[in-house]
Amino acid sequence: GEDRILWAAGAMIVHPQPVLDAFLAFEMPDDLVEGYGFPPLTDVAKRKLLGENYCRLHGLDVEEVKANIADDEWARKRSASPPGEPWATVRARPVVGGEA
């Protein structure tokens, strides 16, 4: 169930934001909920999967963690960079054979 799942990207080359965005927009299809008894994927469940379960397992307070990272190196870099997605400056596709 939602209390026993942890999310991890495993993304070392690409930024995981598109996957996170897709997960946050995802809703369990009605046919699976009504026909097979799958639980709906609520915002509460998504928060648990994306971080609250990890914090609980490690004895961390979510609000304290948020406060501790609110002004860390990465938060400062995010606020200093121009708006846009972090991968906005990356080419849409790799250059192959001298093509651009």
Side-chain angles (χ1 to χ4, degrees):
E2 67 189 44
D3 293 318
R4 298 173 23 137
I5 300 173
L6 301 175
W7 183 84
M12 295 175 55
I13 296 175
V14 297
H15 198 283
Q17 192 63 50
V19 176
L20 283 169
D21 291 341
F23 176 71
L24 290 171
F26 179 77
E27 294 181 11
M28 189 65 68
D30 289 338
D31 62 325
L32 295 180
V33 173
E34 295 167 9
Y36 294 96
F38 279 60
L41 192 53
T42 64
D43 288 342
V44 171
K46 290 175 184 179
R47 279 197 314 271
K48 288 179 178 181
L49 275 57
L50 292 175
E52 289 179 358
N53 289 341
Y54 177 89
C55 287
R56 180 178 40 85
L57 288 170
H58 292 279
L60 302 170
D61 178 82
V62 173
E63 295 307 317
E64 185 178 339
V65 170
K66 287 180 184 179
N68 288 339
I69 65 171
D71 192 39
D72 69 358
E73 173 186 0
W74 300 108
R76 288 190 298 273
K77 285 182 179 183
R78 277 192 300 275
S79 66
S81 65
E85 299 168 334
W87 56 90
T89 59
V90 177
R91 287 181 176 265
R93 62 184 176 88
V95 176
V96 178
E99 299 175 14

